[in-house]
């Protein structure tokens, strides 16, 4: 009887259970302070991202502004910014429709932090870019098309 | 590539502090192939936290679609000259980095 093998099997079994519990949200991995939202970042369609974020059906809002170039010459570095005029904006996410995984980045804004975040993203091709915002318990969204002349996702 | 230090700037105008961060990270997407056609495994920052005097002022999560050497800019209320703003990130391989800057 190979005891080592038995031990190994036991521990992988335990790991599997741990993984399931983590996925179900029952345990948060102690390494991460605010566990990375794997499901949302690996989602490939708009519905899946919204579902993973628990966003339901966001309403279009003019109070959410997405800034960025109309035409990005280099898809590897596309500056985008999200601004929200909605009171109590607590969450901001940037989604790129035609990227392999739609969700690019998300931000949690504690009270006192302005709903005005800028970053740079990669875009594989011309696509709609969405800014998703949570304010006062509801989700709002705005969209902008950014044309890309040179893709930023390898190739 | 080992991640280099972040460049952080935090400037207060009396009521608000504007923070600009430039991280040094490859942000490999996992979609690219190397010269021999093998996929280069994903290696990107997953989480970033900024704190002001120990209070979290921004918590972000990044996917691989954030550009190489990520840039981030945000503002928070409060913050006086001489205060400390600290930024840390963790990547999907468990590498970490924390840098601190004094508000100017």
């Amino acid at each position: 009887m190979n005891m080592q093998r038995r031990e190994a099997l036991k521990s992988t079994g335990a790991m599997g259970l741990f993984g399931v519990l983590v996925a179900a949200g029952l345990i948060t991995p102690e390494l991460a302070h605010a566990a990375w939202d794997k499901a949302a970042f690996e989602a490939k369609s708009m519905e899946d991202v919204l579902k993973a974020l628990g966003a339901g059906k966001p309403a279009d809002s003019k109070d959410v502004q997405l800034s960025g170039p109309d035409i990005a010459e280099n898809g590897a570095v596309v500056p985008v910014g999200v601004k929200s005029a909605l009171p109590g904006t607590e969450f901001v996410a940037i989604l790129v429709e035609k990227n392999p995984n739609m969700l690019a980045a998300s931000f949690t804004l504690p009270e006192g932090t302005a709903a005005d975040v800028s970053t740079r993203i990669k875009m594989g091709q011309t696509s709609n870019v969405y800014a998703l915002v949570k304010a006062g318990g509801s989700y709002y969204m705005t969209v902008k098309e950014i044309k890309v002349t040179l893709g930023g996702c390898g190739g | 590539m080992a991640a280099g230090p972040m460049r952080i700037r935090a400037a207060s105008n009396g009521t608000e502090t504007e923070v600009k961060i430039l991280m040094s990270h490859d942000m490999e997407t996992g979609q690219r192939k190397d010269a021999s056609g093998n996929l280069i495994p994903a290696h990107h920052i997953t989480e970033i936290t900024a704190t002001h005097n120990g209070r979290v002022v921004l918590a972000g999560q990044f996917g691989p679609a954030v550009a190489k050497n990520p840039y981030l800019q945000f503002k928070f209320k409060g913050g006086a000259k001489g205060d400390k703003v600290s930024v840390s990130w963790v990547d999907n391989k468990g590498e970490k980095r924390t840098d601190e800057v004094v508000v100017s």
Side-chain angles (χ1 to χ4, degrees):
Chain A
M1 193 72 212
N2 184 340
M3 285 309 282
Q4 270 181 338
R5 181 171 174 271
R6 175 159 282 210
E7 285 305 311
L9 281 172
K10 230 192 256 173
S11 63
T12 42
M15 278 296 285
L17 178 63
F18 182 71
V20 169
L21 290 173
V22 168
L26 295 173
I27 304 179
T28 37
E30 49 190 6
L31 273 177
H33 25 103
W36 191 57
D37 197 343
K38 198 167 189 277
F41 277 100
E42 287 185 351
K44 299 212 186 295
S45 72
M46 191 81 187
E47 291 95 69
D48 290 348
V49 175
L50 294 177
K51 209 160 114 192
L53 293 172
K57 283 211 171 92
D60 285 334
S61 172
K62 286 199 171 64
D63 291 325
V64 182
Q65 278 185 357
L66 180 70
S67 59
D70 294 325
I71 298 174
E73 279 183 21
N74 182 0
V77 187
V78 185
V80 289
V82 180
K83 241 185 206 182
S84 162
L86 298 160
T89 300
E90 58 196 88
F91 176 84
V92 168
I94 300 165
L95 291 80
V96 184
E97 191 170 20
K98 291 199 179 146
N99 269 6
N101 304 104
M102 281 190 68
L103 185 58
S106 71
F107 302 97
T108 308
L109 314 173
E111 214 184 314
T113 298
D116 181 358
V117 181
S118 309
T119 186
R120 291 176 192 152
I121 57 167
K122 288 179 228 164
M123 291 178 64
Q125 54 180 303
T126 298
S127 165
N128 281 337
V129 178
Y130 295 89
L132 176 73
V133 153
K134 184 185 185 188
S138 308
Y139 284 88
Y140 303 91
M141 202 157 72
T142 194
V143 61
K144 177 185 170 74
E145 189 192 38
I146 297 181
K147 288 194 163 65
V148 174
T149 36
L150 181 69
C153 291
Chain B
M1 180 196 83
M6 280 178 257
R7 287 167 59 198
I8 313 169
R9 220 175 266 174
S12 164
N13 65 2
T15 53
E16 268 190 335
T17 302
E18 185 177 56
V19 185
K20 292 178 181 175
I21 310 162
L22 195 58
M23 291 154 254
S24 169
H25 200 287
D26 271 352
M27 298 300 285
E28 195 57 64
T29 58
Q31 314 266 350
R32 292 199 315 147
K33 288 178 181 163
D34 64 16
S36 47
N38 302 316
L39 272 184
I40 305 172
H43 185 203
H44 60 88
I45 294 176
T46 51
E47 284 163 60
I48 165 161
T49 313
T51 57
H52 163 242
N53 288 350
R55 189 182 81 95
V56 174
V57 284
L58 186 82
Q61 298 192 7
F62 282 1
V66 173
K68 181 176 176 173
N69 297 333
Y71 170 78
L72 186 59
Q73 181 188 339
F74 69 98
K75 289 177 201 160
F76 66 90
K77 268 196 198 120
K81 287 186 187 8
D83 283 1
K84 279 187 178 152
V85 169
S86 160
V87 180
S88 357
W89 56 250
V90 182
D91 71 21
N92 64 334
K93 290 188 181 168
E95 287 172 30
K96 295 173 192 189
R97 172 144 203 121
T98 302
D99 285 292
E100 202 173 58
V101 74
V102 172
V103 177
S104 60

